[in-house]
């Protein structure tokens, strides 16, 4: 639609006007002949459409920042500091910014481009008042590395510059998690029952967990075969299933292959570890050998059910401890790195940087408000 029909300016301040009398109750922020930035500013819920309450809120906000709200109806692309309502705290910040930073007198005109450039320049500053600190706001590599670790573990906040950074909430979350993770590890360190392989116990437990259901299934089938030898053929699956498989394009890890028994079932037959393994599980069994069987039981080519139960038993204390894990969000950087960070003044350094950033909050409110106000000053009546 043409600009002249986009917003009914005669109703800008009439929040009580029956919405059935509006020309339209919603407007898309794209595909219309209107400034896209202004539309995006009005669209406060960022759903891609401007609705009546958002338009009324924009008009009320802008009108409250002007000594004479009727100025909005002029559609002027410039704004004088003297026209701003300094009885409004936000208006006072905006007017002072125009005078002190842009060097405008009360009767001087802030242009549209000046407001836009000020917003862009301020957002790009290392400290821009949003309480979020990107890595390049830090002056040393150690602090930059900690910011990267925090983002890696607990996520990032987006700075006004568009860069990923950390807020005080993220910093607090990370350091609380790092302390909890370190304390959790202290419960196990030095306890051979919990960490029979030291830091390698986790890999052993993971290898066992990957195949546990399948190995348990194998030995259960073996016990059933011992109970009644007539069951062996059925326990190893019917030959017809292989005929169906033969008609398909197969890979070694095909789901239909993976669903077959881990190895040929016999009455209490040990599980082979080198030959005759279901190809879909060969890699997982090799990992079980490397990370769990050899270091905990010693080298072997087959695994009896008694061996398997002994292996699971050796890792039972680890599994019980692992269930109580705290601070797991920092696990990806490891306990050593978490403790390294905890031993430094990194939290204090980041808190100081965030405070330094927030000290610019007044200027941030002013420059963002000026940018928004001059857009509304020019466009709301269009």
């Amino acid at each position: 639609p043409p600009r002249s029909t986009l917003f009914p300016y005669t109703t800008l301040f009439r929040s009580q006007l029956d919405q059935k009398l509006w020309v339209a109750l919603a407007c898309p922020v794209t595909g219309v002949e209107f400034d896209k930035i202004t539309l995006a500013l009005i669209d406060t819920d960022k759903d891609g459409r401007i609705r009546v309450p958002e338009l009324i809120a924009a008009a009320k906000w802008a009108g409250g920042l002007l000594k004479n709200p009727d100025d909005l109806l002029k559609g002027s692309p410039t704004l004088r500091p003297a026209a701003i309502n300094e009885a409004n705290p936000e208006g006072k910040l905006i007017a002072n910014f125009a005078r002190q930073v842009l060097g405008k007198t009360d009767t001087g005109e802030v242009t549209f481009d000046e407001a836009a450039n000020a917003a862009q320049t301020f957002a790009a500053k290392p400290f821009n008042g949003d309480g979020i600190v990107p890595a390049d706001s830090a002056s040393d590599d150690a602090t930059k590395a900690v910011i990267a670790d925090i983002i890696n573990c607990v996520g990032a906040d987006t700075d006004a510059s568009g860069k990923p950074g950390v807020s005080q909430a993220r910093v607090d979350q990370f350091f609380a998690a790092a302390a909890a993770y370190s304390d959790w590890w202290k419960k196990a360190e030095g306890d051979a029952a919990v960490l029979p392989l030291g830091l390698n116990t986790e890999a052993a437990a993971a290898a066992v967990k990957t195949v546990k259901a399948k190995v348990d299934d194998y030995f259960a089938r073996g016990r059933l075969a011992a109970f009644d030898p007539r069951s062996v053929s059925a326990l190893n699956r019917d030959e017809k299933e292989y005929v169906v498989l033969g008609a398909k394009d197969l890979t070694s890890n095909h789901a239909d292959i993976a669903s077959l028994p881990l190895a040929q079932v016999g009455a209490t037959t040990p599980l082979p570890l080198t030959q005759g393994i279901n190809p879909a599980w060969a890699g997982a069994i090799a990992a079980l050998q490397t990370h769990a069987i050899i270091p905990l039981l010693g080298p072997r080519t087959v695994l009896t059910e008694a061996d398997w139960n002994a292996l699971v038993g050796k890792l039972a204390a680890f599994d019980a401890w692992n269930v109580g894990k705290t601070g797991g969000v920092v696990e990806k950087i490891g306990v050593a790195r978490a403790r390294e960070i905890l031993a430094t003044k990194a939290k204090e350094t980041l808190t100081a940087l965030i405070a330094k950033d927030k000290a610019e909050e007044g200027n941030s409110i002013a420059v963002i408000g000026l940018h928004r106000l001059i857009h509304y000053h020019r466009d709301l009546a269009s």
Side-chain angles (χ1 to χ4, degrees), residues 305-331:
E305 187 169 10
D307 289 337
W308 172 245
N309 290 334
L311 184 65
V312 171
K314 287 178 181 290
L315 294 168
F318 173 89
D319 289 336
W321 167 71
N322 198 47
V323 168
K325 182 186 298 180
T326 55
V329 292
V330 303
E331 186 171 22

Side-chain angles (χ1 to χ4, degrees), residues 186-245:
K186 288 176 183 176
K187 297 176 182 178
E189 288 168 330
D191 188 339
V194 177
L195 299 175
L197 299 177
L199 295 179
N200 294 326
T201 306
E202 187 172 16
V208 169
K209 182 179 180 180
T210 298
V211 300
K212 189 175 188 307
K214 205 67 179 176
V215 175
D216 286 343
D217 171 82
Y218 174 82
F219 286 122
R221 289 171 186 266
R223 290 195 302 274
L224 188 56
F227 166 72
D228 189 342
R230 292 175 301 173
S231 67
V232 171
S233 178
L235 291 170
N236 281 301
R237 300 291 187 83
D238 194 282
E239 184 179 346
K240 293 179 181 178
E241 293 189 45
Y242 291 97
V243 173
V244 173
L245 279 175

